[in-house]
Amino acid sequence: MNFLIGAFKPACNISITFSDGKSRKQVPMKKENGKTIMVSLFQSKESIAGKVSIEPLQGKKIEHLGVKVELLGQIEMYFDRGNFYDFTSLVRELDVPGDIYERKTYPFEFSTVEMPYETYNGANLRLRYVLKVTVSRNYGGSIVEYQDFIVRNYSPPPSINNSIKMEVGIEDCLHIEFEYNKSKYHLKDVIIGKIYFLLVRIKIKNMDLEIRRRESTGSGANTHVETETLAKFELMDGAPVRDTSIATDIYHFLKDSAHNHVLGIEGESIPIRLFLSPYELTPTYRNINNKFSVKYYLNLVLVDEEDRRYFKQQEIAIYRQQDS
Amino acid sequence: MLNGTEDEEKWLAEGIAGIQHKAFYMHRALDSNNLREALKYSAQMLSELRTSKLSPRKYYELYMRAFDELKRLELFFKDDSKHGVSVVDLYELVQHAGNILPRLYLLCTVGSIYIKSKEAPAKEVLKDLVEMCRGVQHPIRGLFLRSYLAQISRDKLPDIGSEYEGDADTVMDAVDFVLQNFTEMNKLWVRMQHQGPGRVREKREKERSELQDLVGKNLHVLSQIEGVDLEMYKETVLPRVLEQVFPDEYHLQTLETLLGACPQLQPTVDVKTVLSRLMDRLSNYAASSADVLPEFLQVEAFSKLSNAIGKVIEAQVDMPAVGAITLYVSLLTFTLRVHPDRLDHVDQVLGACVKKLSNIPKLEDSRAMKQVVALLSAPLEKYNDIVTALTLSNYPRVMDHLDIGTNKLMAMVIIQSIMKNNSCISTADKVEVLFELIKGLIKDTDGADVDELDEEDFKEEQNSVARLIHMLYNDEPEEMLRIICIVRKHTMVGGPKRLPFTVSSLVFSALRLLRQLQGQEGDIVGEEASMTPNKIFQLLTQIIESLSAVPSPELALRLYLQCAEAANGCDIEHVAYEFFTQAFVLYEEEIADSKAQVTAIHLMIGTLQRMNVFGVENRDTLTHKATGYSARLLKKADQCRAVYACSHLFWVNDQDGIKDGERVLLCLKRALRIANAAQQMANVARGSGGPVSLFVEILNKYIYFFEKGNKQITSSAIQGLIELINTEMQSDSTNPDSVADAFLASTLRYIQFQKQKGGVVGEKFESIKL
């Protein structure tokens, strides 16, 4: 089959470079083939400028009907592979029809481009930004080259950021209270909290805190939801036992908490400290272009000795904070 | 589990192999200065410690292997030229580990370097470590982790003279840290004993004793902190150590030393909590096994504790009442558990409490009040028997210090305890004490706001008192009479609101005594002049007369009738007559309400019918009266029913009962006339017929007496009556009445049924033609 490769070899090499490519931050991006490459990072309202150079293969000329570069923002649903939905599409014509005999370089610029959505690679879809150069030809088909880049947008810290406090339990079996210090975290944040065990009558083996991502695509009846557990962080090994025998023995006829206080019987507390930086999180995305949403949840899971799971899930918002 | 030891050996070998395997990779990473790999493999290595399969002894072997490896890791961490990460970042980095046990071992390891680097105050890091370690609650794993923490931090405490002592770090922080770690380890250690079924308990105990040293090491560390002086020891260290769980027998044997220190403690130290916990612990220990009780006696635990409490209360003048009483509650619980036979101890505690309370003008603190209730309830709970409590001279004195509401509440608790345990109070003396205790319920207390009384609560209270009276009982009539007299004395002052509740109980109690007396009559006849039925009847009369103050004539009437029946049983005609007279007088003078009259009449007729003690003359008088009352009722229907009921007064089915057929017939005829009059009156007044059912009722009486053989009642009379009823029912003016129809139908069915029976009865009924 080797000859075939030679036969379909493109007639030219096209390269796309950004004008500030050397100084611009590069971030890793996973390609479809599983390889990771480094690509340039942009944010909304930045200007995207650079050069396209076209170099025909040795001794060949390219007849073309025009050269253009496009900036595309696309959402691709995996169930609908090959179909891209372009939410942004900008074009710059680079050349009028003619022939290219030797390496030719065209500068281009898209100034202050609105790119409200972030690049995202999810379970069922991806959102990507790409520069697409097309050399249109009459025969042999057009020659196309792509250059990916990544967009990330930053949010200021939220003005209101309440803690999350919850009281959960099963009557007469388990009664716990927990607290997370915030409801909105940035990607490099730390979740600090406490869990109070007020009543434990089931044999708890361990307790984990999970971070779950819920990606929903489509709308209405066609909504598809994919949930992934991104982090499983063990908070507790074994469980505190509330030994209330003293209280029950002697004072069972006086059930008041003031009394418990006198005896110093209080809930055992377990600390929570979970660094978010090791996990591959994205900000929370709400209804992006009416196509999808990505939400994050903290799931507190208690596992008993019979491997039954008791859990309580709480949504948290995640935002991207500008590195200081 | 037969070859449990063998298995354990195998698991241990596996664990060690696992550690060695992962340590190999860790060493490689250390040698190549690869921090990421080092963290990964060290975490994997430490994961071997997550096993639950090993006994503490074997786990210790495994732990020591890991410990050695951690020392190598520590050296690597310490040298940031090798990994290029600052200790602050490292402190975060190790916390990324997903499993908690490896994470905390690594954190402690880095933490010790962090302190050494002095980039953060030692106390902050120590506090963080000791807090984070709470995540491991599994007893064995937690104990070893915390022992690791103790081990690596030992030379880094901000002790006096230590290089870590600074402005922010004081010896106090060092003590705090060690004590907190110690406290947590104790909790874990204690928890071991509650785990697993009883079968493995013994094994657990053995394991626990193996781990004891681990916990004890903390005390060793504590003793080595230079900066701890006597003051600090007394004020901070001792109380907190005391809170901890030493073996109980240890506490017991050192009681004297321990208690000696208590009164000297500063008032800021919560010595009462310490003491009350100590006593609670000792109580539990005593309850755990009867074998340990001699130990308590040997060290005279009670008197020592009692003295210590006395001294503490004396020394701490400002201690709030609730604190003192809490102490007494604990002491009481202690003595109830340890010396259940020593009532004098209980009384002594109560006495001490009275002394303390008498210094306080008025107990207003509700928490203190609750404690007093607890104090008073404890003996009741323990002995399940109020009788025991009644012998405690200080019991009522403590009750005097309760406010009115709480006093009542306590009285209710006492009564409920009696009810629950079905305990019978059998001597007059005890009854006297008991009523002294519950006097809050028996009479109005001075200063009680009557308006605030909740009607329902009041009823419940008084009903309880009424029930209580039935629990006072003695087989000896002499003693029983005394009991009744005492109850009477107390209840008579209760006032018009309480009397209706208590008087009936008292009356029935006395009536029971009467029956008791009758049962024994054969033995003691004539001997005990003081104890005659007559005397009891006099008493009864007086008791019932007290109701006139209420007034409650309906109740009094019922009680008189009860007494009359009792007199009938005792065969004392004049007394029975007297009671009837009283009842009739009440009826005439006090009962005006027509409904009440109807009820009263039927009661009187019913009682009178059963009387067999009366001679002809007396009976005639009473019967005449009753019939007279009946005919003078207001409503015709009531008249009619009362009159036909009177017919029974002339016909008693007993062997030698009166059987005056003629007067029976007279009554029934009169009833018919009244029914007829009622019918006509209804016609005139409403244009429609009155109730036919009255006729059917009378018909039933006819049938009854016919069946019983009253010759005056003939089959033709019955036939005539049936015809009359039929005519009435078909008349236009009568409203259709389905109830009356059904009544008649079933009455006729009865006649049919009797006819078909055959024999004498059948023959008799055969003559009735339907």
Side-chain angles (χ1 to χ4, degrees), chain A residues 188 190 194 203 205-206 208 232-241 243 245-246 249-254 256 258-259 261-265 268-275 277-279, chain B residues 50 91-92 95-101 103 107 128 131-132 134-138 141 184 187 191 194 196 272-273 276-277 280 284 326 329-330 333 337 367 370-371 373-374 377-378 381:
Chain A
K188 301 270 154 46
V190 193
K194 260 195 158 97
K203 289 184 173 164
K205 201 164 63 177
N206 65 320
D208 293 337
K232 189 163 177 269
F233 189 76
E234 193 181 16
L235 290 178
M236 183 177 77
D237 173 15
V241 175
D243 181 14
S245 61
I246 297 174
D249 268 11
I250 310 169
Y251 300 117
H252 60 90
F253 53 93
L254 276 183
D256 75 312
H259 210 107
H261 196 81
V262 171
L263 293 174
I265 297 168
E268 196 72 59
S269 75
I270 304 296
I272 305 174
R273 184 186 295 157
L274 172 57
F275 291 92
S277 58
Y279 306 105
Chain B
R50 297 174 73 209
Y91 195 71
E92 177 188 327
Q95 293 186 62
H96 294 177
N99 281 322
I100 187 157
L101 196 68
R103 178 165 77 235
L107 190 68
D128 191 51
E131 264 302 304
M132 291 310 284
R134 282 172 175 273
V136 179
Q137 293 285 336
H138 183 277
R141 293 196 283 272
E184 293 298 326
K187 278 195 217 161
R191 198 178 304 150
H194 300 300
K272 86 175 162 19
T273 310
S276 68
R277 259 204 226 175
D280 290 342
N284 283 339
T326 309
V329 173
S330 296
T333 314
R337 286 260 175 97
R367 286 204 300 152
K370 270 185 188 150
Q371 288 298 330
V373 173
S377 307
E381 296 268 319

Side-chain angles (χ1 to χ4, degrees), chain B residues 19-118:
Chain B
I19 286 186
Q20 282 170 340
H21 183 67
K22 302 292 162 35
F24 170 77
Y25 288 104
M26 186 184 89
H27 296 162
R28 260 207 344 208
L30 298 184
D31 292 342
S32 56
N33 293 339
N34 188 335
L35 178 64
R36 178 180 282 272
E37 295 273 291
L39 289 176
K40 181 174 141 194
Y41 288 112
S42 56
Q44 284 185 10
M45 174 195 79
L46 290 165
S47 286
E48 294 293 338
L49 291 177
R50 297 174 73 209
T51 179
S52 304
K53 290 174 176 169
L54 299 177
S55 68
R57 192 176 288 276
K58 301 287 176 207
Y59 191 88
Y60 178 72
E61 276 185 51
L62 199 63
Y63 163 82
M64 282 315 291
R65 301 281 177 140
F67 183 79
D68 290 340
E69 298 300 338
L70 281 173
K71 272 198 270 189
R72 288 188 68 159
L73 189 64
E74 189 185 346
L75 286 177
F76 171 73
F77 282 159
K78 227 178 249 177
D79 190 352
D80 61 9
S81 73
K82 283 192 168 170
H83 51 75
V85 174
S86 73
V87 67
V88 186
D89 289 343
L90 203 54
Y91 195 71
E92 177 188 327
L93 217 49
V94 291
Q95 293 186 62
H96 294 177
N99 281 322
I100 187 157
L101 196 68
R103 178 165 77 235
L104 291 177
Y105 271 106
L106 291 174
L107 190 68
C108 290
T109 312
V110 177
S112 83
I113 301 166
Y114 200 1
I115 299 172
K116 260 202 161 133
S117 76
K118 295 184 191 158

